[in-house]
Amino acid sequence: MLGGGARAAKPSFVSYISPEEIHIKEPIEKEVNPHLLPGELLLCEASTVYKYMQEDGSNRGTYGKLVCTNFKISFLDDDSASDDDEPEFKNKIVGENDITLQCVDQIYGVYDEKKKLLTGQLRKYPERLIIYCKDLRVFNFCLRYTKEEEVKRIVSGIVHHSQTPKLLKRLFLFSYASAAPNNTDGRNQTVMFDTLEDWRDELERTKGNVKYKTVTTNEGYRVSEKIYKTISKPPYELLKMDDLSSSLPSLQDIQTAYTRFKQLFLIDNSTDFWATDVKWFSLLESTNWLEIIRRVLKKAIEVAECLERQHTNVLLIEESASDLCCVISSLVQVMMDSYSRTKSGFQSLIQKEWVIGGHGFLERCNHLRKSEKEEAPVFLLLLNCVWQLVQQYPPAFEFTETYLTVLSDSLYVPVFSTFFFNSQHQRDTSASGESLKTQSGPFRFLTVWDWSVQFDPKAQAFLNNPFYAEKPKLDKSQRKTARFKHQRQLSLPLTQPKPSTKRGFFREETDHLIKNILGKRIGKFINSSDEPPNSFREFYESWHSKPVDYHGLLLPRIDGPEIKVWAQRYLRWIPEAQLHGGGTIAITAKILDLMEEVQSLQVKMDEKHSQAVSGDVHSVTTPRNSARLSSLFPFALLQRQSVKPALPTSTWKDLEDEDDLVKRDDEFVDLSGDMS
C-alpha cells in the first residue's frame, strides 16, 4: 500500500514499434509494373513505399511501389496486379492510384511532424510525402522504409515534373499523339465548329441565317489569332451592352474564393473532417464560392430576360472576351435552348464557346506551371452553375451529374487536346509542327468527347440520364413553322487583342478606329435600359409560378439555400460524407426497377404486333446488390469502408449532449431484399 503522501508511479512503457508496423500489410513479393500508355516513359521509381488509407486515422495502409512517368504518378500494390473485384465505373486511362502530372496541385513534405511545401531543388528529403490533387484527392506516402537513394530520386522527380514550368510541346499530349494509333473518330455527333459548314449549320439550326452569315475574313487567321471564324451582322441592329467586368466578380476574386472553398474538402484524416464539421456552414459561407455561383446565375437570368421578354439582343463585353463571356453565353444557351441540354448539344456548345471561342485553358488551369496569377477556375465555375440546373431540373438534361464530374476530371488529362490549348490557332500551329501553310501535320490529337477512350460502354451508361424527358420529334408540317425567337450575339473584346505577326489588310489605325466606333459611336443605336428596378424579380417570380416546360426556357432557383454544394464532385473522396445504402442512388435504383418492369411488359405487348422496342430509354446498370453502394455512387465504389474515427476529447465534449449519429457506425440498408 502507498502512504498518504505517496504518488502513483507514472507509466514507463515505451513502444518502439511505429503505427505503420502495427497495421502492416506485407510488401508485395511479385514484381508489379505500371501500365504505360503509348508514348509514356518511366522516369523514376521507389520500392517499399507505405501508402496511408486516407479515411482511417489509425495509420493503416499498404506497401507498394511509387513510380513517376512523363504522364502520371502512380502507386502500385498487390491489388494493382489483380483484376478481381473491379469497379463497374472504371477509367481506362487514370486508375484509382494514378495522378496525372497536371492534376497535382501542391506537394508537401513532412519533416519531424512539420509540413513544408516542396518546390524547386531540395536540400533535405522528407520522411512523408503528401500530394494534394486538383480533383480533391489526397495521397499520403511514408518513405521511412524506402532506400535513401530511391527517396531522393522519386521525390525530386515528382516535384520537378509536376511543379516546375515547362514548354507546351513537353506536355504528354504530344508524346501520346505521336505514338498512339489513330483508330477513333472522336466526334460522336459532337459539332466541332472547325469548318465553315459547322457554323453555317448552326446558324440554320437557330434560324440565325435570317440576319447573320459566316464570312471568310479571318481565313488563315489574317485578322485575329483568337477568333476562328467570323460572323457578320447588320451594322445598326439594336442591342444592349453588358460589361461583365463591372457586374461580376473579377478572376482574382473567383480564384481566391475557390481556393478557400476547396480547402474544406482536402481532408488528410477523419479527425480533420469532424473538426471542420462542427463549424461547416460558417466556413462554407466565408469562402464566398456559392455566392459567386448565385451572382453568375442571376446575370444569366438577366440576359435571358432581355432576350425572352424584351426581345433585345445582348452584347457581352469583357477585357479578354473569353472568360466570363464564355460562362454567361453558355449558361444562357443551356437555359434557353433544349438542344444544349442534350449530351451532344452540350459538348457542341463547349466546343463553340470555349474551345473555338479561345478560352485560355493553359493559363486558367495553369497546365504549364508558368504563372499562378493567371490561374482561375472559370470552366469549373460553368460546370458548377450547370450542375445547379441539373439537380433542380433532372428530366430536362440528357446527361447526369456523373457526366459533369468526369468532364471536370478530364481538365487534367493530357491525352485530349480539348482543354490544353488557348485557341484554335495555337492548336493548329502545334498540330502542323510548322506554319499555317500546312493543312495537316504529324499529330492527330484526340478529343475528350470520345468517351470510349476513358470508359467502356457499361461505364458510359452512367453518363446518360435514364429519366431524361426526350423532346418529341416534330413532323414536317410542324418543323416548317417552328422558329427560334433569338439568335446568339457574339461577345466583344473590350481591349484590343495582341497584334498578329500577319496583319493582313487591317492596320493598327483601322483596329483603333473600329474599337472607337464599336465602343462609343454605336452607343447612339443602343437601347438604354428603361426597365424598373423590380423588372428582374417580376420576370423571375412569374416564370417560377408556372409549370416547368423541360423543353423550353429554364430559370434556376437562386434564393436562399437553393444554391447547393456539388456533393458528388467535392465529397466523393471523403468516406465519412457517404451514406451507405442511401441517398439519391437508392431512389434511382428503385425507379429503374420499375422502368425495367414497364419495359419488359411493353416488349411483351409489342411482340404481339411484331414490333420490338427500339430501346430509346437509357438503362443504367447499378450494383443494387452490392454492399458498397453509397450516396456518392459511382465514385464511392473506389473507397474502402470507413472505420469510425477517433475524435479528440475536446470534440467529444462539444457533441456529448447531442443525439449525434457520428458516435455510432452508419447503419447499412440492404437494398437487395427490396429490389430482387
Side-chain angles (χ1 to χ4, degrees), residues 73 99-107 131-134 158 162-163 369 412:
I73 303 164
I99 317 166
T100 65
L101 298 178
Q102 278 64 43
C103 190
V104 176
D105 191 3
Q106 290 182 320
I107 302 176
I131 302 178
Y132 294 94
C133 305
K134 292 182 179 179
I158 289 176
S162 66
Q163 301 294 294
R369 298 285 179 179
Y412 316 113

Side-chain angles (χ1 to χ4, degrees), residues 240 301-312 314:
K240 178 180 178 181
I301 297 174
E302 291 175 356
V303 175
E305 179 196 7
C306 292
L307 298 173
E308 181 72 15
R309 191 172 73 166
Q310 303 176 26
H311 306 289
T312 304
V314 179

